[in-house]
Amino acid sequence: MPVADVRSIRARLTVTLAVVMVAVVLGGAVIASFAIFPLLSQRDLTQLENTAQRMTAGLDATGGAVISSETVQRIAADSLGIILLGDDGVLTAAGIPEADVPTIVARAAHEPTDIDGRYLAETIDTTGLALSFSENASDVPVTSAVLVVRTTDREANGVLLISALSVTAVVTTIILIIAAAIVVGRGLRPLTAMAEHAERIAEGDRTLRLPVETSGDPAIARMASTVNLAFDVQEDAENRMRSFVADASHELRTPLTTASGWVELYLRGGLTDPDALAEAMARVERQLGRMRLLTDELSLLARTDSGRPLENTPVDLAAVAAEVASDARVLHPERRLTVDTDRPAWVLGDEPRLTQVARNLVGNALQHTPADAEVTISTRVTADRVILRVHDTGPGIPVEQLPHVFERFWRGDSSRHAAGSGLGLAIAHALVSAHGGILRVASAPGQGSTFEASLPALDVQPA
């Protein structure tokens, strides 16, 4: 991942988080702004009703009271006014401009009433509550009281609250955007380092690997480990390919050099004798045949590695084993070769390729064991598997060589100078794997060797 891409991801994440946070903060601010004025209105109404209830309950509990102008002034608060009325009209008023008193008295009712958007008034009937107003050394009965809440400051207070809320929202948004940029930057820091390492690897430093921070995000650490594993697999594949190409070149060079030598000798006039010429041509033919066999085997491995589909037809491995053994007896009449198959062993696969597996395993056993060693090819059928087994009583394979027997072009010390390309077992292993099976080897010095191909059994046996 290029560093520019990481920066683009960082920018997109930051912008996305910023947009989400701005939407949340500003959305909350807008909702709060719409709710402020109803809340302020409800506050005024609640204040008016609570004051009326307290006043009525207090007078009822005390059995009456005599109040003066000073007392009325004390009752009036910053936003609360009061008007006392007697039989002759207004006795006193506090907390309200004198010019507005007549209008309030005329329009007030026993329920909270809005007056010109400036006041919220409610009339309380004090008849029977023994409330009197002391004026000029005489007590005048109070027939009703008007409680008034001034609402003129409501809009100013609402605008002030909205302004404060907006400023807070803007500041909060800026802080959150900065925090988002920092958090995203810190979170993507491992990706930036990974991108830089990946660029260096792409430039040719195959030994470098991505940093794995186990203390950070587990997902990023897992991704780095997975990418490192992919690099390891790629490096191993490249090493194997280089080794494969080198081995193939070496194997082809030997017969090519031999054949070229005889041809060059002939061209220089060194093969004038007919018998010598015939012998030279026979050797050239053998070397060309060796090259042809090698190229065919390499082509087969390449097709198998590419995953090209195989034929899928019912194949009786018991019949295949018998056929391969019969052919081997013709080529090696002096060898003891036994077939052990008790019943048909059906699998689904490519019959020519499975025949080649059996032929390669038997040929390997015959080639790398002494003349007095016995070779047995057998088949066994289990519940869901068919086993093709080739066992020999030869000297066995050293333990340290067992992990390498299926490698391409690999030869053990005992067979280093023997004929063959070193691809027979590798081809058998590749073909068995292509059929969904497993090829194993078990061997020990002095106890012979056993190659066992395990393949999925055919569910429905042919008639």
Side-chain angles (χ1 to χ4, degrees):
M1 180 187 298
V3 177
D5 290 346
V6 175
R7 292 173 180 171
S8 178
I9 292 174
R10 179 187 302 168
R12 290 197 297 268
L13 287 176
T14 303
V15 170
T16 301
L17 288 176
V19 169
V20 171
M21 289 185 292
V22 167
V24 171
V25 173
L26 294 185
V30 170
I31 294 174
S33 299
F34 281 106
I36 283 176
F37 287 104
L39 289 174
L40 292 177
S41 297
Q42 184 62 39
R43 182 202 64 179
D44 293 342
L45 180 61
T46 301
Q47 181 184 11
L48 185 63
E49 291 178 343
N50 290 342
T51 303
Q53 290 174 1
R54 286 197 304 271
M55 182 176 179
T56 303
L59 292 173
D60 186 58
T62 58
V66 177
I67 59 176
S68 62
S69 297
E70 291 79 7
T71 304
V72 173
Q73 293 292 336
R74 286 196 300 271
I75 293 176
D78 292 338
S79 60
L80 181 66
I82 184 171
I83 304 173
L84 298 182
L85 301 175
D87 292 333
D88 297 331
V90 177
L91 298 176
T92 186
I96 304 166
E98 186 176 349
D100 294 336
V101 171
T103 302
I104 296 173
V105 171
R107 298 174 60 180
H110 293 290
E111 296 294 333
T113 304
D114 180 71
I115 300 175
D116 299 333
R118 300 173 60 199
Y119 301 102
L120 189 64
E122 181 180 357
T123 300
I124 302 174
D125 187 2
T126 58
T127 304
L129 295 178
L131 177 63
S132 300
F133 176 66
S134 176
E135 183 180 20
N136 299 325
S138 62
D139 296 338
V140 179
V142 178
T143 58
S144 62
V146 180
L147 298 179
V148 182
V149 174
R150 293 189 299 274
T151 60
T152 52
D153 297 333
R154 181 191 302 168
E155 184 173 350
N157 291 335
V159 171
L160 181 61
L161 287 174
I162 292 175
S163 300
L165 188 61
S166 300
V167 172
T168 302
V170 171
V171 173
T172 303
T173 300
I174 294 174
I175 294 174
L176 289 177
I177 291 175
I178 295 174
I182 294 174
V183 170
V184 171
R186 291 177 62 88
L188 293 180
R189 189 178 301 168
L191 291 180
T192 303
M194 290 168 59
E196 294 174 350
H197 280 68
E199 287 181 349
R200 292 173 57 186
I201 293 173
E203 291 171 356
D205 190 353
R206 296 288 191 251
T207 61
L208 194 63
R209 291 296 179 266
L210 303 184
V212 181
E213 296 184 5
T214 55
S215 60
D217 190 338
I220 295 179
R222 181 181 179 184
M223 181 178 69
S225 299
T226 303
V227 173
N228 285 340
L229 178 60
F231 283 140
D232 292 340
V233 172
Q234 180 183 5
E235 183 179 10
D236 181 67
E238 291 177 352
N239 291 336
R240 287 177 176 271
M241 179 58 68
R242 283 192 290 268
S243 176
F244 179 80
V245 171
D247 290 340
S249 300
H250 174 75
E251 293 296 328
L252 289 170
R253 186 182 301 113
T254 300
L256 181 61
T257 301
T258 303
S260 298
W262 286 107
V263 171
E264 184 178 355
L265 180 61
Y266 169 75
L267 293 176
R268 291 181 178 180
L271 295 174
T272 56
D273 182 66
D275 293 336
L277 178 60
E279 175 64 20
M281 291 300 101
R283 294 189 179 186
V284 169
E285 173 62 22
R286 286 196 296 272
Q287 298 302 323
L288 292 178
R290 181 179 175 186
M291 291 176 61
R292 184 166 50 252
L293 175 63
L294 180 59
T295 54
D296 289 342
E297 291 178 336
L298 290 175
S299 177
L300 175 59
L301 281 174
R303 290 195 301 271
T304 305
D305 290 343
S306 66
R308 295 184 183 180
L310 300 171
E311 294 291 334
N312 280 310
T313 58
V315 179
D316 182 7
L317 283 186
V320 169
E323 178 184 349
V324 169
S326 177
D327 292 342
R329 290 192 185 100
V330 173
L331 296 175
H332 304 276
E334 76 285 356
R335 299 297 300 268
R336 289 185 296 165
L337 184 59
T338 305
V339 179
D340 180 12
T341 55
D342 56 354
R343 57 170 171 159
W346 292 98
V347 297
L348 191 64
D350 189 323
E351 183 171 2
R353 298 310 177 203
L354 293 175
T355 301
Q356 185 171 5
V357 170
R359 185 176 292 113
N360 285 6
L361 295 179
V362 171
N364 179 76
L366 293 173
Q367 180 178 344
H368 300 303
T369 56
D372 59 346
E374 183 178 358
V375 176
T376 302
I377 179 171
S378 62
T379 58
R380 292 290 181 271
V381 180
T382 65
D384 59 348
R385 309 293 290 183
V386 171
I387 311 299
L388 173 67
R389 182 181 293 115
V390 175
H391 173 73
D392 66 68
T393 59
I397 305 172
V399 176
E400 66 275 8
Q401 295 183 9
L402 285 176
H404 306 286
V405 294
F406 298 123
E407 293 181 5
R408 299 171 184 183
F409 295 111
W410 185 85
R411 294 187 180 92
D413 291 338
S414 62
S415 59
R416 189 172 303 278
H417 303 291
S421 63
L423 292 176
L425 292 179
I427 290 174
H429 185 272
L431 290 176
V432 171
S433 298
H435 281 82
I438 301 173
L439 181 59
R440 304 184 182 92
V441 59
S443 182
Q447 299 180 12
S449 301
T450 300
F451 287 85
E452 184 179 278
S454 174
L455 296 166
L458 188 62
D459 294 335
V460 179
Q461 300 294 314

